[in-house]
Amino acid sequence: MLRTNTCGELRITDINKTVTLCGWLQRSRDMGGVTFIDLRDRYGLTQLVFNMETHAELTEKARKLGREFVLQVTGLVKERSSKNNQLPTGDIEIIVETLTVLNESQTPPFTIEENTDGGDDLRMKYRYLDLRRTSVRANLQLRHKVAQQTRAFLDKQEFIEVETPVLIKSTPEGARDFVVPSRMNQGQFYALPQSPQTFKQLLMVSGFDRYYQIVKCFRDEDLRADRQPEFTQIDCEMSFVEQEDVLNMFEGLIKHLFLHVKGIEIESVPRITYTEAMKYYGSDKPDTRFEMKFVSLSDIYEPQTSNLVSGNGFKIFDEAELVVGICAKGCANYTRKQLDELTDFVKRPQIGATGLVYARVNPDGSVKSSVDKFYDEETLSAWAKAFGAEPNDLILIMAGQKEKTRKALSELRLEIANRLDLRDKNKFSCLWVLDFPLLEYNEEEQRYFAMHHPFTAPKPEDILLLNEGKLGEVRANAYDLVINGVEVGGGSVRIHNKQLQAKMFEILGFSSELAMAQFGFLMNAFEFGAPPHAGIAFGFDRLCSVFGGVDSIRDFIAFPKNNSGRDVMIDAPGEIDQKQLSELHIALNIQS
Amino acid sequence: MLRTNTCGELRITDINKTVTLCGWLQRSRDMGGVTFIDLRDRYGLTQLVFNMETHAELTEKARKLGREFVLQVTGLVKERSSKNNQLPTGDIEIIVETLTVLNESQTPPFTIEENTDGGDDLRMKYRYLDLRRTSVRANLQLRHKVAQQTRAFLDKQEFIEVETPVLIKSTPEGARDFVVPSRMNQGQFYALPQSPQTFKQLLMVSGFDRYYQIVKCFRDEDLRADRQPEFTQIDCEMSFVEQEDVLNMFEGLIKHLFLHVKGIEIESVPRITYTEAMKYYGSDKPDTRFEMKFVSLSDIYEPQTSNLVSGNGFKIFDEAELVVGICAKGCANYTRKQLDELTDFVKRPQIGATGLVYARVNPDGSVKSSVDKFYDEETLSAWAKAFGAEPNDLILIMAGQKEKTRKALSELRLEIANRLDLRDKNKFSCLWVLDFPLLEYNEEEQRYFAMHHPFTAPKPEDILLLNEGKLGEVRANAYDLVINGVEVGGGSVRIHNKQLQAKMFEILGFSSELAMAQFGFLMNAFEFGAPPHAGIAFGFDRLCSVFGGVDSIRDFIAFPKNNSGRDVMIDAPGEIDQKQLSELHIALNIQS
C-alpha cells in the first residue's frame, strides 16, 4: 500500500503516530511561515502542515503544488491548535516530513467544490472530475448501499439472483427496442431487453420459486429529462403467492431499505385503489407527504335535490362533467397577483386548463369567491364545509371533463404544496396503489392495450367482464409502489393459465400466429406446469434518487447519457468502419 | 401464500401438523390401496400419501395426475414406516386430505431426472424444463452463492459497486465488438463493452479508490465450446496500491470464497513467474493439482562437457532447440498399445508433435528406452536421475522448437494426469502466475500487440528495455490467477502516467490521432491527476464452473447460447421489420 491510512480516519487518538497518506490537493493556504494543504480522498479530508522554519525546502516544494495534484505524504499526527468541528478529522493535522508528487494535474476546467463553477455540459464532458465532488460521489455511495441492503433483504428471504440474457429477441409490443445485428446469423438481430419479464416468468416455470436481479434494461425512446436509454431495475418474481403476499414481501423490502439506508422507520404503507387515487389525487402516483385531497362538488347534493354547483347560472360549472377542488390551508391571504400566477399555471399548455375558481374563507368565517354572483352565501358556506375549510383557507376549484380536470388539479395540488413547503425531501410517504385497469383504450389505434403488459392477470372476479366484452372495466391484480409522488415500482399477479393467456393476446389484437412467433416459448412453457406466480420491478435509479431526495436520476448514475442518448465524455455513439458494417451484413441508409 | 411449508423443510419434529404444500409431481407410485406421490419444489421432495380406504375419491383423482402437474395439497405430517435416509424429508410423509390441481402439464419432452433421457439440443430448446433438474438448479444456486460471498468480501474491504454503461463506443483494438445502431444519432453506433476497463480506470481518476462490479461483458467472437457471446466478470480496481497489494487482496477473496462456498481452507496461493510456468509446465495456466514438472535434458551437462542428449547421433535430439520430458509415476508397465496411443495423442493436428521418446525405469533400476541404440546405459541412468525417476516410472520426452514442444508436452502432461486420475474435481490448487511479457509479436501483422491491454504497466526495472527497443523482453506488472489449470482471473498494474501511456500507444502502432480518437477521454483524464492504480477481473462463469467441478461454463448460465450464438429456446436472434431498420438508418446487406 502506498498509504498507512486514508484521509478520513485519523482522530485525536492517533496523535504522535507517523502516517503516510495519499490523495488529491483540495486546497492550499500560504500563511507566511506555514503552508496548509487539505488532502482529499474518498474517505475525507486531512489537513497537512508544512513548516518553513523546520522544513524550508519541503515547504517551498509544497507551495508550488497545484489543485488536484496527487500526493503521497508522510508525517506526524498532531493535535490542531484551532480545531475544525465540521470535519471528522478536524482535531488533528499532519506535520509533513516527506512529500512525493505521484502525479501532476492541469488546472481542472471547473472547481472540485460543492458549489462548483462548472456548467452542466462541462461537468458532463469531464464527468470523471465531477465524480470527485463529494455530493456526486455520495450519491453513488448511497446507490451502492441501496443495492447492498436490497440484496441482504432478498437473500434472507431465499430469493436467488439469476442473470438473464442481454442479447434477446425483439418484440413489437411496448417501447422501441435497441437491436444488435448478428454477424453469425445473417440478416438477423438481437434485441436488448426492456425488462427480463419473460425470463423471470420462465424461471418460475422452472421452479426457481423466488428470483431477483438488479439488472440493466434498455429502451430506445425519445428521452425526457428523467429517462435514460439504459436504466437499472430491481426485478423480482415469486411462485405460489397471491397479491397480498407480494405486497407484504416488498413492503418489507421498502421498510428494510428505509431503516438500513436512511435510519428511518416506516410505520406502514397505506393502500388505495387506482380509482381512489384518481378520485382523491387525480394521479396514480400521488404525493402523500401532505393531504390536500380533492373534494368533488359535483356529487354533493343539497337536501333540495339540486347540487352545490349546477343550476345557478354559472355555465362553466353547469356544463362540467366534474367540479372539483382542493383546500390550500392558510392561503386566504393570497394576493391578486398570486392568484393570477396560479391561474396562469393551470392555463399553461402542459396543463391546459381554462381557468380557476377560488373561494377565500375570511377570518370571520364568511366566504368570498370569484363566482360570488352565481352562488349565495349559504352555498359558498356549504362548499367550505365540504372542503373542511377553516378561516384563512383558500379553496381552488376547477371544472370540465373528468379526467382532464383531475389531471390539471393534480398539478395544481403539487404546485400549492411546493409553495407551502409541504414536499420536504427528508420526509417519506409510501403508498400502494392497487387494482389498476387491465386494459386501456388507445383512441389513435382504436384498440385496447395492456396497461402493464400482456402477462398481467385480471382480478378473478372481473374475468366475467372480460368475457362480456366490458374491457375497460376489468381490473387487474396489478400494483404500484409510490413514494413521495414518484412511482418507484410496479408489478402484478401473472397469468399462468394458457387459455387465459391466449385470450389476452386475442384481446390485444395478436393473431395466434403472431402470439406464437413472439411469445411462443412462453406459451409453450405454460403447457408444462406453470405455477401461480407474481412479481414486481423497482426502478433502481429512481428509487435511489428518491432516497437521495433529488429529482433527477442522472445524479445517481455514474456515467449517464444526455437527452440525445449521447455519452459526451466518451463521445458515443460513434461511427464504425465499413469492414465492421460488412461483417454484420448491414449498410448505412442515411436520409439527408 | 398458497403453502404453509416448502417441500424441503418438514422433519420428524413436524409430526401431526397440518400443512399445505405446493409443487410439481415428480413421480407417482400406485401400490393398490395406497398411492404415493413425490412432490418437488426448489427446496426438496416430500412424499404424499393418498389412501384408497379412507379417501377413495381423492385417491382416484390423484391416480390420474401426470408428471409435472402443479399441485397444492393439504394434509397431516406423519412418520414414515419405511424411512428414506437419502432424503432430508425422508422421515415423514403427508397424509393428503385435500388436493388442488394448480396447473396441468403435458408430458415433458424428456424426464426431469438426474439421468435424463433428453439430448443436448432438446434440453437447450426446453431450457426452462432442464432448469427443473436438481443439478442444473444447484449450479445456479452455487453461482448465486459465489456472487453473494464475493460481494460480502469486497463490501467489507470498502469496495464500492459502481455500474458502468453498456452502451459505449466501439474500439478497434481487441476482439470484435457487438454494436447497436443509434436511432437518434444517424449513422452512428454504440458498442457493447468487452470489459469496463476504461471506465474503471476513470473511476480511479475520480477518486473512487476501490471499485468492483459483477458485470455482463460482450464479445462477438467465433464461439468455442467454452465461450459465450455474453459473459460475466467480477471486475475490480484499486488506487494507491502496488502489485503486491492486489495479489494479497484477491488471494483473500479466493480464500474467502473457498471457505464460505465450498467449506475448504486454502492455505496459500503459490506464485510463479510466467517464465517459470512455461519452463516447468509449458503453459501459463498450469494445473498444479499434481507435480509432474517438465525436466529439460538440453541444459543438463555431463562433466565431460557434452550434454545428455546431443552428440550421440540421434538427429532429432541433436537438432532440437529443446529436449524436454515428464516422468509418469508408476507407468513403466504401459503396453506397446498404450504408448502408441500417447504417440498418436501428441501427433494429433491440434497438438502437432512429430513423435514421442520414452524410457522405462525397470524394477531393477535399469532403464530401457525407445532410443537405446543412440544412448548408453550410463546416459539413460543420468536421464532417470534428472527426472527423479524411480523404478516403475515412465519417462516421456519430446523434442523440437522450444515453444511448440513445451505446448505439446503440456497437453501430454494433462493427458497422463487424466489417465492417472490426478485431476480430482474435489481438489483445488490455486496459483498466481506473474511477470507476463508486456508485448507479444504478431508474425502476421509484423508488429507487437499488448499481451493484456494497452493500459498495462511495464515493470519499472524493464522500462529501460522499452526505451532500448527490446520490446519482447519487457515484463509487465501483470498477473493471472489460475485454479486447477484454468485461468479464472487476470489483471495488472495500470499506467497512470500520460507520457508512458502515449509511448505505449506509439509502440502499439497507434498514431497519436488514432489514440486520441479512441482513448482521448482516458488520455485527457490522465492530465488531471490520475492516482497509481491496479486491478483484476475474474471470469465469473468460469470461476463458478471451477467451483462446481464442471468443465463447461454453459452449465452455470441460466439461458446460454449455442455455438452459433443462438438462443434456441427463444429463437434469437431474429428478423426485424423494415420500419425498425429505417428508423435506425440502416439497411440489410445480405451476401448470398
Side-chain angles (χ1 to χ4, degrees), chain A residues 242-409:
Chain A
E242 293 166 313
Q243 173 170 303
E244 185 62 26
D245 304 314
V246 180
L247 299 183
N248 288 333
M249 176 64 75
F250 292 97
E251 190 168 317
L253 171 63
I254 285 298
K255 286 178 178 173
H256 178 92
L257 291 180
F258 271 108
L259 188 60
H260 290 90
V261 176
K262 303 286 293 183
I264 292 173
E265 265 195 70
I266 299 286
E267 292 286 316
S268 72
V269 180
R271 301 171 181 190
I272 64 172
T273 64
Y274 172 84
T275 307
E276 289 169 333
M278 297 312 288
K279 183 174 171 188
Y280 293 119
Y281 303 102
S283 165
D284 59 2
K285 40 178 196 278
D287 187 341
T288 48
R289 276 175 293 188
F290 56 99
E291 277 267 330
M292 215 191 291
K293 278 189 187 174
F294 289 8
V295 173
S296 161
L297 295 179
S298 302
D299 45 13
I300 298 176
Y301 287 85
E302 290 274 77
Q304 295 80 8
T305 78
S306 86
N307 76 17
L308 284 179
V309 287
S310 59
N312 294 279
F314 184 45
K315 220 174 145 189
I316 291 171
F317 281 11
D318 286 351
E319 292 174 358
E321 188 183 358
L322 180 70
V323 179
V324 63
I326 51 175
C327 174
K329 300 301 286 179
C331 295
N333 61 350
Y334 267 27
T335 60
R336 181 78 241 170
K337 184 161 164 282
Q338 284 173 302
L339 290 166
D340 285 348
E341 275 171 18
L342 293 181
T343 306
D344 290 347
F345 176 83
V346 298
K347 281 182 164 177
R348 291 186 313 163
Q350 305 96 301
I351 300 186
T354 49
L356 187 61
V357 167
Y358 66 82
R360 290 185 164 109
V361 184
N362 294 321
D364 64 4
S366 66
V367 181
K368 172 91 188 120
S369 123
S370 56
V371 288
D372 274 356
K373 61 175 164 178
F374 299 105
Y375 299 97
D376 57 24
E377 179 109 353
E378 200 180 339
T379 307
L380 293 178
S381 287
W383 287 9
K385 194 176 153 216
F387 278 95
E390 295 171 323
N392 300 316
D393 288 355
L394 176 70
I395 296 167
L396 297 164
I397 302 172
M398 298 177 76
Q401 189 267 329
K402 195 201 270 183
E403 276 180 40
K404 221 178 130 186
T405 304
R406 281 176 170 172
K407 200 161 169 294
L409 187 61

Side-chain angles (χ1 to χ4, degrees), chain B residues 296-362:
Chain B
S296 162
L297 295 178
S298 301
D299 44 13
I300 298 173
Y301 288 85
E302 290 273 77
Q304 295 80 6
T305 79
S306 89
N307 76 19
L308 283 179
V309 287
S310 60
N312 296 279
F314 183 46
K315 219 175 145 191
I316 290 169
F317 281 12
D318 284 354
E319 292 174 356
E321 188 183 357
L322 179 71
V323 179
V324 63
I326 51 175
C327 174
K329 299 302 285 179
C331 295
N333 61 349
Y334 266 28
T335 61
R336 182 76 242 168
K337 184 161 164 281
Q338 285 174 301
L339 290 166
D340 285 348
E341 277 171 15
L342 293 180
T343 306
D344 290 345
F345 175 83
V346 299
K347 281 181 163 175
R348 291 186 311 164
Q350 304 94 300
I351 300 184
T354 49
L356 187 61
V357 167
Y358 67 83
R360 292 186 162 105
V361 185
N362 294 321

Side-chain angles (χ1 to χ4, degrees), chain A residues 1 3 42 128 132 143 158 163 166 188-190 206 209 230 232 245 527-528 530 565-566 574, chain B residues 1 3 42-43 103 106 128 132 143 158 163 166 188-190 206 209 230 232 245 528 565-566 574:
Chain A
M1 297 283 174
R3 65 188 173 204
R42 182 184 117 192
Y128 48 86
R132 282 187 189 166
R143 184 184 177 106
E158 303 223 56
E163 291 173 64
V166 176
Q188 298 193 324
F189 293 78
Y190 302 100
S206 296
D209 206 72
E230 52 178 297
T232 304
D245 304 314
E527 305 271 351
F528 295 103
R566 291 200 74 80
Chain B
M1 297 279 175
R3 65 191 173 203
R42 181 185 117 192
Y43 311 93
N103 221 338
Q106 286 187 20
Y128 49 86
R132 283 188 190 166
R143 183 182 176 108
E158 303 223 54
E163 291 172 65
V166 176
Q188 299 194 322
F189 293 77
Y190 301 99
S206 297
D209 207 74
E230 52 179 298
T232 304
D245 305 313
F528 295 103
R566 290 200 73 81

Side-chain angles (χ1 to χ4, degrees), chain A residues 157-177:
Chain A
Q157 299 292 334
E158 303 223 56
F159 283 77
I160 298 181
E161 187 164 26
V162 180
E163 291 173 64
T164 53
V166 176
L167 297 171
I168 64 165
K169 190 174 173 169
S170 193
T171 54
E173 194 78 342
R176 214 183 273 110
D177 285 324

